[in-house]
Amino acid sequence: MAQRYSSFDKGGRMWLLQRVTAAFLLVVLAFHFFLLHFVHHADEVSFLMSAGRMETMSYYSLMVLFLLTATFHGVNGVYNALVNQGLTGTKRTVIKWTLVAASVVLVVQGIRTANAWAGIPLY
Amino acid sequence: MSTQIPKQTEKADETAAETETDAPSKGDERRAEKRRRADERRRQREAEEAERAAADENTVELRVFRYDPDVEGKQEPRFDTFHVPFTKGMTVLDALMYARDSYDSSLTFRHSCRQAVCGSDAMFVNGGQKLACKTQIDELEEPIRVEPLPHAEVTKDLVVDMEHFYDQMEAVEPYFQTNEYPDGELEEQRQTRENREKIKMSTRCIWCSACMSSCNIAAGDNEYLGPAAINKAYRFAMDEREGEDVKQKRLEIIEQEHGVWRCQTQFSCTEVCPKDIPLTEHIQELKREAVKNNLKFW
Amino acid sequence: MSQSYNRGLIEDFSRWREFEAGMWAWIFHKFTGWVLIGYLFTHIAVLSTAIPASGAETAVLQAGNDVYTQTIVSLEGLLLVRVLEVGLLAVAVFHMLNGARLLLVDLGVGLESQDKSFYASLILTGAITVASVPTFIAGAF
């Protein structure tokens, strides 16, 4: 009866990646909240201060990685929730690629923003 | 545990009546005991509120789901109320059998061994998946609501269609397979004590489908193997006697997209399993096993 | 699945009184997850105002008169936004704590106390949120 299911899916890899990003996000999100709400206060934000942080290469790369993992974790989570509810067929394919497109837009826009602060002329 | 004799045919009814007159002492004793208790209660009641009396009556109130697609007038689902005399040690199944035998012979439900072995009487009792024959009446709040298992097609009254559940069980090839035989032709396929301990709990499954019915994901995703089938896969994948080749084949089945990955660790299945199988734990172990197995190829 | 008689939502969420800890954890985790991914999109959208702002003169930036600084400061001036931020913190903290619980469950650690760890993450979420209210609301009045 094994042929009832398509053989060797990437389900396991996505499952693992969801957990790995979770562990990473756990730390970085806590740092993000702490830095931008407790160390600095949200109402004292200014372009120059944000830019000052982003100009540091380590901070810039951490934030880009943060964006990538958060987008993957969130969008994959949404996709999983829909599959769990029994999303199948064409609807599933359409939603899958819509989610992929939304992720690309989010990541591109996020990196453009980060570049604007960091003074990287790619935005 | 069960005290009622099921009377399924009219003939059986007659013989049962005979046996009752043959051995009157036990029944009389019980009735006398019941009368004594009822008298006590009545005296108490006189001093108390009149409305409390109804609640103290020595019967249990059952609200049973009824539905029969074949009979006009019964196609609209409804709840029937039965008042069943309580006896010590009475189970939900006992009460249902009493209701069927005394009040309404058309009340339909599956049961066979009446001792939590055959797995045919899983029902939805007071909002939880329970094995009716091992659920004590006095542990439940009244009125007791008895419904067919959720997330399955109702055939009639408390009977649901189990076909999908059996399909999923079959999909994991729930039987011992190996191509590693011991040397001697008549040699037994021995299992180590440790390995037996490891799979012990997983062998206890009685195919009652309570876990499948409780699983929110299995309800949404029809292709999901479900807790029982994955547990069955665990039982064999972890059995060392099957050997590496067969284990690989088993892992391939359970690591499909609608295999172990769909489990969201809600623990619903583990909570309802009448045989206390740690289903979630087994599913999680298979997930890790599958990941380890795949990491080799990366 | 029930074609002959669809019991509908009776089978699922109207049974919420009978839900066990694990089920509640799943519902909350899913809900907070939806909120967080929704927020991520809005967050990036708001921060994108930094792109036009970067073209402004240095003097304008130093005075804080650029689009980005103005947008953030005016948003943060609204009490509603501050309250929503506290809500966001609660949602994020729960998702993180319960996520840590789920990671442990995935590793097969402490499965027998999964209900207690859920209650613990609820209580901790409440405590952290309450403790953060002064920091989040400060200056909004």
Side-chain angles (χ1 to χ4, degrees), chain B residues 42-273:
Chain B
R42 210 168 298 133
R43 251 173 275 125
Q44 251 185 347
R45 229 180 299 153
E46 283 165 11
E48 290 174 18
E49 299 272 20
E51 54 171 341
R52 242 197 81 182
D56 256 353
E57 199 75 61
N58 209 9
T59 59
V60 281
E61 191 183 336
L62 245 61
R63 297 231 175 108
V64 185
F65 177 91
R66 304 300 303 275
Y67 166 75
D68 187 348
D70 296 331
V71 178
E72 216 183 317
K74 288 187 176 178
Q75 286 161 352
E76 193 56 42
R78 65 184 195 280
F79 279 88
D80 277 357
T81 303
F82 298 105
H83 291 275
V84 176
F86 177 73
T87 49
K88 196 180 171 195
M90 190 180 232
T91 64
V92 173
L93 181 63
D94 292 333
L96 284 172
M97 280 157 65
Y98 186 96
R100 179 196 61 199
D101 299 344
S102 315
Y103 306 132
D104 185 352
S105 59
S106 74
L107 176 59
T108 312
F109 48 95
R110 286 196 189 99
H111 66 93
S112 177
C113 76
R114 291 179 276 160
Q115 47 192 342
V117 176
C118 71
S120 44
D121 65 343
M123 294 166 192
F124 203 52
V125 181
N126 277 1
Q129 284 80 0
K130 300 264 165 59
L131 215 52
C133 59
K134 66 168 288 203
T135 306
Q136 289 286 321
I137 292 278
D138 62 2
E139 287 170 6
L140 296 169
E141 255 177 68
E142 278 188 65
I144 299 165
R145 260 171 92 93
V146 188
E147 295 162 70
L149 287 178
H151 307 310
E153 200 177 319
V154 183
T155 308
K156 188 191 173 192
D157 293 348
L158 301 173
V159 176
V160 294
D161 186 0
M162 300 275 280
E163 211 50 55
H164 178 66
F165 174 73
Y166 294 147
D167 280 347
Q168 301 307 75
M169 291 300 265
E170 213 148 321
V172 299
E173 306 179 12
Y175 40 83
F176 186 84
Q177 305 168 60
T178 189
N179 37 34
E180 288 176 16
Y181 297 98
D183 292 335
E185 200 191 334
L186 297 173
E187 193 69 37
E188 291 171 4
Q189 294 175 323
R190 287 181 183 277
Q191 185 176 26
T192 63
R193 281 174 185 280
E194 292 74 25
N195 192 230
R196 169 65 202 167
E197 271 308 305
K198 185 168 181 59
I199 64 161
K200 184 173 83 182
M201 294 306 280
S202 65
T203 63
R204 293 171 60 166
C205 179
I206 54 173
W207 296 48
C208 72
S209 177
C211 55
M212 187 76 154
S213 167
S214 78
C215 179
N216 188 275
I217 308 304
D221 177 8
N222 231 9
E223 281 179 76
Y224 177 40
L225 286 173
I230 297 176
N231 175 69
K232 195 50 97 175
Y234 177 95
R235 183 253 171 275
F236 290 108
M238 293 300 167
D239 192 324
E240 284 165 356
R241 295 170 298 173
E242 283 203 333
E244 253 328 291
D245 286 356
V246 181
K247 184 171 181 174
Q248 282 304 321
K249 194 178 82 175
R250 293 207 179 275
L251 284 178
E252 271 176 45
I253 295 173
I254 59 106
E255 69 185 25
Q256 307 308 322
E257 190 180 20
H258 297 279
V260 284
W261 313 120
R262 290 271 73 77
C263 167
Q264 303 290 300
T265 61
Q266 289 172 349
F267 289 90
S268 304
C269 53
T270 310
E271 304 272 4
V272 299
C273 178

Side-chain angles (χ1 to χ4, degrees), chain A residues 32-45:
Chain A
H32 186 67
F33 252 105
F34 190 72
L35 183 72
L36 296 174
H37 280 282
F38 294 89
V39 177
H40 304 286
H41 291 284
D43 55 328
E44 293 158 6
V45 159

